[in-house]
Amino acid sequence: MVDHVAGENVNQVVDSGKGVPGAPTAAPPDSPGYELPLLLFGGFRTLIDRLHTRLADEGHPDLRPAHGFAMQAIGVRGATASEIGRRLGVSKQAAGKTVDRLLALGYAERADDPADARRKLVHLTPRGYDALARSAAGFDELRAEWCAALGTDRVRALEADLRNVVPEETAFRLDATSWLGGA
């Protein structure tokens, strides 16, 4: 955590035992409940940060995690700003800002809806599809690294266990940006 002042442990709840000489590095058998969501989030952040480092090296240096969520929300058929906002759990205006950034970076484009000329659809460009394809390949490589470090059976068991405890309707939701602080 970054909540340290001159070596002093400021956030006692989150950082208990971290950075204390002689403190155990492995969690005790009965870990405090707050560690589970923090470890899951830490795993998520590690994967996302490593993916974005890889994407930057592969020609997508301006792509941010929120952009990936937005591109997933746009989908293969395209979507309006309102639809993107609903899928992400953010306002139409917040979705519009993210879409504007995707347009400026060349990942998306706007076009008239052939079914309704009053609507503008956002579509992914070839650059957007390239970024998503590279992301999918990157996630496969990162998963393989976890399998090498932990063992394939353990990673499969972790995935199966998460599928058992995460409600199906929330397992693949895109609206993480709404509770992580905006799009």
Side-chain angles (χ1 to χ4, degrees):
M1 297 301 297
V2 295
D3 300 9
H4 293 278
V5 176
E8 184 179 332
N9 188 352
V10 176
N11 193 335
Q12 298 294 316
V13 173
V14 176
D15 283 348
S16 62
K18 291 196 168 85
V20 176
T25 56
D30 294 325
S31 298
Y34 66 81
E35 284 189 0
L36 177 61
L38 292 174
L39 289 168
L40 288 169
F41 185 66
F44 173 79
R45 280 293 308 263
T46 299
L47 290 170
I48 297 299
D49 289 348
R50 292 191 58 212
L51 175 72
H52 280 270
T53 297
R54 179 173 285 161
L55 288 171
D57 291 343
E58 294 177 358
H60 298 283
D62 296 321
L63 199 61
R64 300 291 175 257
H67 301 150
F69 284 106
M71 288 193 296
Q72 292 291 332
I74 291 167
V76 295
R77 291 186 195 91
T80 66
S82 294
E83 291 167 335
I84 296 166
R86 270 194 307 280
R87 293 173 187 170
L88 294 175
V90 299
S91 69
K92 176 183 174 181
Q93 292 78 12
K97 284 183 181 181
T98 302
V99 166
D100 288 344
R101 188 70 182 136
L102 290 174
L103 295 169
L105 294 171
Y107 292 102
E109 61 191 3
R110 277 196 183 100
D112 290 333
D113 183 345
D116 184 349
R118 298 170 295 172
R119 291 175 18 125
K120 294 284 187 194
L121 288 178
V122 178
H123 292 278
L124 296 176
T125 63
R127 181 167 171 77
Y129 284 114
D130 179 67
L132 289 179
R134 289 176 184 275
S135 293
F139 280 129
D140 286 345
E141 291 172 17
L142 290 166
R143 184 184 183 279
E145 289 176 16
W146 279 39
C147 287
L150 302 174
T152 300
D153 290 342
R154 287 187 67 194
V155 171
R156 286 180 182 156
L158 174 62
E159 291 167 336
D161 289 343
L162 288 170
R163 283 185 192 100
N164 284 329
V165 297
V166 175
E168 187 175 333
E169 65 275 6
T170 63
F172 297 102
R173 285 175 51 182
L174 298 175
D175 65 350
T177 53
S178 66
W179 54 266
L180 290 175

